[in-house]
Amino acid sequence: MASTSARTHSTAGRIRTAATTLYSDNQSLLGDIRKSFNLLKDVAVDLEKANQFDKVKEIENAAVELLATCDHCMLLSSAIQSVGNNYEPPPEPSQLTDFEKLLKTEVAKQKAKSSSSTANQSMIRQFREAVWV
């Protein structure tokens, strides 16, 4: 019984460590995405001043897509962290954990309580206010 308990603790600890590492790495990625969004806004402002409205619209569409990707990345990152923090290996060593199912369930939970779409709407509004003067 002690070996089962040690295996459970060891496995859960490794999963938790991996999830924490992924979450941390994703935070850097999210920061880079936000910097890219601001760069897109600056380029769009310059193009608007140059009366290149078609290109501005293309950049605006790319900015919206980038924010949607950022939102998805935040959901996945939070889901990974939650699965890592709450993971308990199955009682039998021969049983496998369905991590895909765990992540999908956790993403749905995170999405239900997320307010990032409101933040994205605010960022898009700021983008449009800066560009379409």
Side-chain angles (χ1 to χ4, degrees):
M1 190 63 153
S3 66
T4 301
S5 177
R7 181 191 65 82
T8 299
H9 184 356
S10 174
T11 301
R14 287 194 309 260
I15 296 293
R16 194 172 345 317
T17 299
T20 299
T21 300
L22 283 170
Y23 180 83
S24 178
D25 290 349
N26 282 346
Q27 297 313 298
S28 297
L29 175 63
L30 290 167
D32 290 343
I33 290 172
R34 289 183 189 103
K35 288 177 189 173
S36 297
F37 177 83
N38 288 328
L39 182 61
L40 282 176
K41 182 171 60 173
D42 293 344
V43 169
V45 166
D46 291 342
L47 289 171
E48 194 273 337
K49 288 178 184 174
N51 297 321
Q52 296 185 20
F53 305 116
D54 290 343
K55 293 198 184 295
V56 173
K57 188 62 184 165
E58 286 179 39
I59 290 177
E60 181 179 354
N61 292 340
V64 168
E65 189 174 331
L66 184 64
L67 285 179
T69 300
C70 184
D71 185 38
H72 187 69
C73 186
M74 285 189 299
L75 287 172
L76 286 173
S77 184
S78 295
I80 289 168
Q81 184 180 41
S82 181
V83 166
N85 288 339
N86 299 312
Y87 178 72
E88 290 295 327
E92 295 297 320
S94 61
Q95 292 177 313
L96 298 176
T97 301
D98 186 348
F99 284 101
E100 182 178 4
K101 182 179 178 183
L102 284 175
L103 282 171
K104 283 182 180 181
T105 300
E106 197 56 43
V107 165
K109 288 180 192 175
Q110 297 295 326
K111 192 179 280 192
K113 66 181 184 181
S114 174
S115 63
S116 60
S117 62
T118 304
N120 285 353
Q121 292 299 325
S122 173
M123 291 179 76
I124 289 299
R125 186 181 72 249
Q126 291 172 7
F127 179 95
R128 290 176 177 149
E129 288 172 354
V131 173
W132 302 109
V133 220

